[in-house]
């Protein structure tokens, strides 16, 4: 069960991106905020906030946006970046506009390259984010890689050995598991998150990744009905599946 925190109404709505404190005070004064069927008149009212709030509160007749902490699962399409800073289309552009104004803000849990598709988590929960990407936890991530050349046959042993050094690095990679799908397709499960790791691993064995798609993080699989660019809210208990490995 989610724990309810108390928050001032104007602060809550400002943090959810509904406008400045002044804007949301005007919204309340205009009778646009309804809680449990009652129009709220006092923007300074303290209310209990938990994941059920969108079932209880409406703003201009629409359910209020989900409060923090929020975890989203997204099917990242090709061609968008996970960075807030880089040029070009960003993964955040695929979310509702107001969500870009939230405080705390939303960030991806680790990153996928612009030309990698698949499962990505997005959250405003710093504790959850750090637990997933912590190098100490070794949360496994599974990628489907399409290769330029046929596999030579010994890549699984090279990746499993725990001795592979990537160019410019000082520590060998941890053991990784390769499952061959066909001559030019393989699933690779890694437990680290080094820069361009999967592409560099195949480059290290003389191959080249032509397409990369993340299928799984820990115990969480990309749902088959989540189309590229779509996202869904993950209830806290489902998000914890990441650690079920
Ligand atoms: N490894 C890569 O090379 N790219 C990604 O996006 C993720 C893992």
């Amino acid at each position: 069960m989610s724990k309810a925190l108390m928050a001032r109404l104007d602060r809550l709505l400002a943090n959810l991106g509904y406008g400045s404190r002044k804007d949301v005070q005007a919204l309340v004064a205009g009778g646009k905020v309804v809680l449990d069927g009652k129009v709220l008149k006092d923007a300074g009212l303290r209310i209990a906030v938990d994941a059920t709030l969108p079932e209880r509160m409406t703003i201009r007749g629409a359910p209020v946006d989900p409060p923090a902490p929020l975890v989203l699962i997204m099917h990242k399409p090709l061609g968008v970046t996970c960075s807030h800073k880089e040029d070009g289309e960003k993964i955040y552009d695929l979310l509702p506009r107001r969500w870009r104004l939230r405080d705390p803000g939303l960030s991806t849990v680790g990153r996928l390259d612009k030309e990698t598709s698949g499962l990505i988590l997005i959250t405003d929960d710093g504790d959850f984010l750090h637990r997933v990407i912590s190098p100490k936890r070794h949360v496994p991530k599974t990628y489907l890689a399409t290769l330029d050349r046929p596999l030579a046959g010994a890549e699984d042993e090279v990746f499993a050995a725990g001795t592979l050094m990537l160019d410019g690095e000082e520590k060998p990679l941890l053991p990784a598991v390769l499952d061959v799908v066909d001559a030019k397709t393989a699933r690779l499960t890694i437990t680290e998150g080094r820069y361009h790791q999967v592409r560099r691993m195949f480059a290290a064995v003389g191959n080249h990744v032509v397409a990369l798609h993340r299928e799984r993080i820990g115990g969480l699989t990309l749902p088959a009905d989540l189309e590229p660019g779509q996202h869904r809210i993950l209830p806290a208990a489902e998000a914890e599946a990441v650690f079920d490995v």
Side-chain angles (χ1 to χ4, degrees), residues 62-144:
V64 69
D65 290 344
L70 182 61
V71 180
L72 308 174
I73 182 169
M74 181 182 271
H75 185 162
K76 180 191 173 293
L78 296 174
V80 302
T81 70
C82 290
S83 160
H84 280 285
K85 292 184 194 135
E86 275 173 51
D87 291 340
E89 197 184 3
K90 298 172 184 46
I91 201 161
Y92 306 101
D93 298 334
L94 303 171
L95 299 175
R97 249 185 96 70
R98 197 167 40 238
W99 291 18
R100 281 173 249 158
L101 306 172
R102 290 169 66 106
D103 181 14
L106 292 164
S107 301
T108 58
V109 178
R111 289 187 180 177
L112 290 176
D113 302 337
K114 187 172 180 184
E115 293 313 328
T116 301
S117 59
L119 172 51
I120 185 110
L121 298 173
I122 302 175
T123 190
D124 56 14
D125 182 344
D127 172 63
F128 175 77
L129 186 152
H130 288 111
R131 281 193 294 136
V132 181
I133 65 172
S134 164
K136 290 187 194 133
R137 285 202 182 240
H138 303 302
V139 171
K141 287 151 289 204
T142 300
Y143 296 84
L144 187 67

Side-chain angles (χ1 to χ4, degrees), residues 24 26 32 34 46 54 63 79 86 88 101 128 147 151 155 157 166 170 176 180 190 198 205-207 233 244:
V24 299
K32 307 291 186 208
V34 174
R46 290 178 68 77
E86 275 173 51
L101 306 172
F128 175 77
L147 305 166
L151 289 154
E155 291 89 345
E157 286 169 27
L166 293 179
E170 285 170 2
V180 175
I190 60 176
V198 174
V205 292
N207 215 321
I233 294 171
D244 293 346

Side-chain angles (χ1 to χ4, degrees), residues 165-166 168-172 194:
M165 289 289 278
L166 293 179
E169 300 220 355
E170 285 170 2
K171 263 178 87 177
R194 300 202 203 180

Side-chain angles (χ1 to χ4, degrees), residues 156-169:
D156 57 345
E157 286 169 27
V158 175
F159 292 163
T163 53
L164 183 64
M165 289 289 278
L166 293 179
D167 269 354
E169 300 220 355

